[in-house]
């Protein structure tokens, strides 16, 4: 269409020029300059016609108002829907890819575990610890005090969940009225309360993504793993903020996986650190459990005072108490031959007096060169090993072992690749 328009305009110009040149001259002498002027006018007129034709075929910006600098919004290709990106973390499919990686923050350098991890055998549910529902009754569905659960200041969709905060330990079967305001130095207990059992909300996932905001600013977010069916079958979760160490229950259950940040466990250890850093005045502390735009539970309280240093001392007491509660991780699988090989590598690596080793993972994880269906580079598995320290105390570490894929397709020699930080453990708890 565009070529046809240009051709017709060109024809008109040529014809007009020939007509002017061949017209008979009657009544006056031939004026070459006049003819040239006429041709020039014709050419200009034709050019204007060409420009107008081009504008009709290819609209320009002449219709845009002065100062308009916006470009057209991109649209999806024909046949495809535009997808809005979620602000939440992308790896939601398995607890392994979130809880495991979060816990890796406490792992010392010594090898990098591939982000492209897949199992060699078994189902995803078996690997991640997700199991079938088991019959369990939920706790009382008593409404959460409105004063303790302000409306979420967010565009995310809510599921009518809340959070109870109190000055005394909370009994899920008979929760107390919520407390909305605390003073510096108060003990603070908390309970997340969802509208439905976690299993109904999380689907195949077995972890809660918890966000902490102070004075409207996000401090951190971490995943808390729930590794037992009954933990997912209820609609609540105890998440204390600044509890009395003697009444603290957060860290006593090894089927609840609290990741670490800056050497502190998510939960009372990290929360009391945040409280101890507050400046004199009034502050807000907010908790949200959400994923992909859905808020499953949320709530906030205010805390005021001239000095928050008492929470630094409480942090030390909580760390000491959580250390006394510490137990070895539960075994994911038993393989005596593999365990023997692992112990030999630890001994060769200079570990003193290894008291116990358990394989934490339920199966091997596959490491690919660049994800997807790319070639397999290796496989890895995680264990936990307890040992006696030089001062007579005991600790355990998370350790990771790799086997490279050989050119023959067989697995190569086992290698110790990651060694985590020491976690204190009472000697009497090592074999529990």
């Amino acid at each position: 269409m565009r070529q046809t328009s240009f051709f017709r305009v060109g024809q008109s110009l040529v014809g007009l020029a020939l007509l002017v040149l061949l017209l008979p001259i009657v009544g006056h002498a031939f004026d070459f300059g006049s003819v040239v002027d006429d041709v020039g006018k014709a050419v200009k007129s034709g050019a204007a016609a060409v420009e107008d034709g081009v504008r009709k075929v290819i609209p320009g910006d002449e219709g845009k108002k002065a100062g308009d600098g916006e470009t057209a919004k991109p649209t999806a290709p024909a046949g495809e829907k535009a997808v809005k990106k979620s602000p939440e973390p992308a790896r939601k499919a398995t607890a392994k890819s979130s809880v495991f990686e979060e816990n890796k923050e406490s792992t010392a350098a010594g090898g990098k575990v591939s982000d492209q991890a897949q199992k060699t055998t078994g189902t995803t549910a078996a690997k991640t610890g997700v199991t079938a529902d088991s019959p369990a009754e939920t706790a009382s569905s008593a409404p959460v005090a409105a004063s303790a659960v302000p409306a979420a200041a967010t565009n995310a969709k809510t599921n009518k969940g809340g959070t109870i905060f109190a000055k005394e330990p909370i009994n899920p079967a008979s929760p107390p009225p919520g407390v909305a305001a605390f003073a510096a130095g108060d003990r603070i207990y908390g309970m997340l309360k969802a509208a439905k059992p976690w299993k109904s909300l999380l689907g195949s996932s077995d972890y809660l993504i918890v966000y902490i905001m102070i004075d409207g600013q996000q401090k951190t977010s971490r995943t808390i793993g729930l590794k037992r069916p009954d933990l997912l079958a209820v609609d609540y979760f105890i998440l204390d903020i600044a509890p009395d160490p003697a009444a603290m229950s957060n860290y006593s259950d090894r089927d609840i996986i609290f990741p670490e940040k800056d050497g502190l466990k998510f939960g009372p250890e990290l929360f009391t650190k945040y409280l101890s850093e507050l400046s004199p005045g009034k502050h807000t502390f907010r908790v949200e459990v959400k994923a992909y735009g859905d808020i499953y539970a949320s709530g906030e309280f205010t805390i005021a005072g001239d000095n928050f240093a008492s929470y630094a001392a409480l942090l030390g007491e909580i760390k000491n108490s959580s250390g006394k509660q510490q137990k070895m991780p539960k075994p994911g699988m038993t393989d005596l031959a593999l365990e023997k090989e692992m112990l030999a590598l630890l001994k060769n690596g200079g570990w003193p007096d290894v008291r116990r080793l358990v394989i934490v993972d339920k199966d091997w994880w596959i490491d690919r060169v660049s994800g997807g269906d790319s070639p397999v580079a290796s496989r890895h598995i995680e264990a936990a090993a307890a040992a006696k320290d030089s001062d007579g105390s005991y600790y355990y570490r998370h350790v990771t072992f790799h086997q490279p894929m050989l050119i023959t397709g067989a697995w190569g020699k086992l290698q110790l690749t990651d060694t985590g930080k020491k976690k204190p453990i009472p000697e009497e708890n090592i074999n529990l």
Side-chain angles (χ1 to χ4, degrees):
M1 175 181 175
R2 189 180 303 173
Q3 293 178 348
T4 302
S5 299
F6 290 163
F7 181 76
R8 290 178 178 174
V9 171
Q11 281 184 324
S12 299
L13 289 175
V14 173
L16 183 60
L18 290 175
L19 179 63
V20 171
L21 293 173
L22 298 178
L23 281 175
I25 309 303
V26 180
H28 56 77
F30 182 79
D31 187 349
F32 185 78
S34 176
V35 172
V36 171
D37 287 343
D38 289 341
V39 173
K41 290 178 181 179
V43 170
K44 289 181 180 179
S45 176
V50 171
E51 182 179 0
D52 183 63
V54 170
R55 285 177 179 172
K56 290 181 180 178
V57 176
I58 310 175
D61 293 335
E62 65 276 4
K64 184 178 291 186
K65 295 181 181 179
D68 286 352
E70 297 182 359
T71 57
K73 295 182 178 179
T75 56
E80 296 184 10
K81 293 183 179 180
V83 179
K84 183 179 179 181
K85 292 185 178 179
S86 168
E88 303 298 335
R91 294 182 294 176
K92 183 184 177 185
T94 66
K96 180 68 179 180
S97 62
S98 57
V99 177
F100 179 78
E101 293 300 332
E102 300 254 1
N103 287 336
K104 282 295 178 184
E105 287 191 2
S106 63
T107 302
K112 182 178 180 181
V113 178
S114 168
D115 286 334
Q116 306 296 335
Q118 300 176 1
K119 299 189 314 175
T120 54
T121 59
T123 63
T124 301
K127 178 61 187 172
T128 59
V130 179
T131 56
D133 285 317
S134 62
E137 294 183 0
T138 61
S140 169
S141 299
V144 179
S147 61
V149 190
T154 175
N155 292 325
K157 184 175 69 176
T158 61
N159 286 277
K160 298 182 179 179
T163 300
I164 294 176
F165 299 106
K167 295 183 179 182
E168 301 293 338
I170 297 173
N171 179 0
S174 181
V179 176
F182 295 86
D186 282 347
R187 298 295 183 260
I188 307 172
Y189 300 83
M191 184 180 80
L192 305 171
K193 188 70 165 62
K196 299 177 181 178
W198 299 115
K199 183 66 176 179
S200 300
L201 298 172
L202 302 177
S204 62
S205 299
D206 61 353
Y207 58 91
L208 306 178
I209 307 176
V210 183
Y211 293 75
I212 301 299
M213 282 78 74
I214 295 181
D215 295 333
Q217 299 297 316
Q218 181 175 315
K219 293 289 289 185
T220 188
S221 66
R222 286 293 184 272
T223 56
I224 300 176
L226 307 179
K227 300 301 182 179
R228 209 170 54 244
D230 62 287
L231 296 171
L232 294 163
V234 296
D235 60 359
Y236 66 88
F237 180 76
I238 297 295
L239 184 65
D240 293 331
I241 308 299
D244 187 316
M248 182 177 66
S249 61
N250 294 66
Y251 303 138
S252 61
D253 191 336
R254 58 184 170 182
D255 285 326
I256 301 175
I257 310 300
F258 288 93
E260 292 186 1
K261 177 178 172 57
D262 301 328
L264 298 174
K265 288 184 180 180
F266 190 78
E269 285 188 13
L270 189 61
F271 300 163
T272 50
K273 176 180 181 293
Y274 289 157
L275 292 176
S276 71
E277 297 170 342
L278 294 178
S279 59
K282 186 177 181 179
H283 304 271
T284 60
F285 191 107
R286 182 172 183 80
V287 179
E288 289 185 355
V289 179
K290 62 182 180 180
Y292 297 91
D294 289 339
I295 297 178
Y296 301 133
S298 64
E300 69 180 42
F301 61 83
T302 62
I303 184 166
D306 297 327
N307 191 332
F308 293 86
S310 62
Y311 289 114
L314 180 59
L315 168 58
E317 296 174 18
I318 288 175
K319 288 187 69 175
N320 183 56
S321 178
S322 62
K324 292 179 180 178
Q325 296 179 12
Q326 187 67 65
K327 301 179 181 67
M328 290 283 287
K330 296 179 73 173
M333 65 179 286
T334 300
D335 185 328
L336 297 180
L338 180 58
E339 291 170 16
K340 183 178 179 181
E341 193 174 357
M342 290 176 171
L343 286 169
L345 286 173
L346 292 176
K347 183 177 180 180
N348 186 59
W351 279 57
D353 189 20
V354 178
R355 293 286 299 272
R356 187 184 179 201
L357 181 142
V358 295
I359 300 175
V360 176
D361 283 332
K362 295 182 178 181
D363 204 348
W364 290 88
W365 289 80
I366 291 296
D367 310 306
R368 295 185 179 275
V369 173
S370 59
D373 294 324
S374 62
V376 174
S378 61
R379 67 176 184 175
H380 71 269
I381 196 166
E382 183 179 309
K388 189 175 183 178
D389 213 341
S390 57
D391 62 0
S393 64
Y394 288 85
Y395 66 88
Y396 80 90
R397 298 176 186 258
H398 285 275
V399 289
T400 304
F401 298 87
H402 274 73
Q403 282 185 311
M405 169 71 79
L406 302 179
I407 194 170
T408 61
W411 298 112
K413 189 176 180 180
L414 189 69
Q415 303 170 2
L416 173 62
T417 52
D418 277 356
T419 302
K421 291 183 178 180
K422 294 180 180 179
K423 298 178 182 293
I425 184 172
E427 182 180 8
E428 60 271 19
N429 290 356
I430 291 177
N431 293 316
L432 294 180

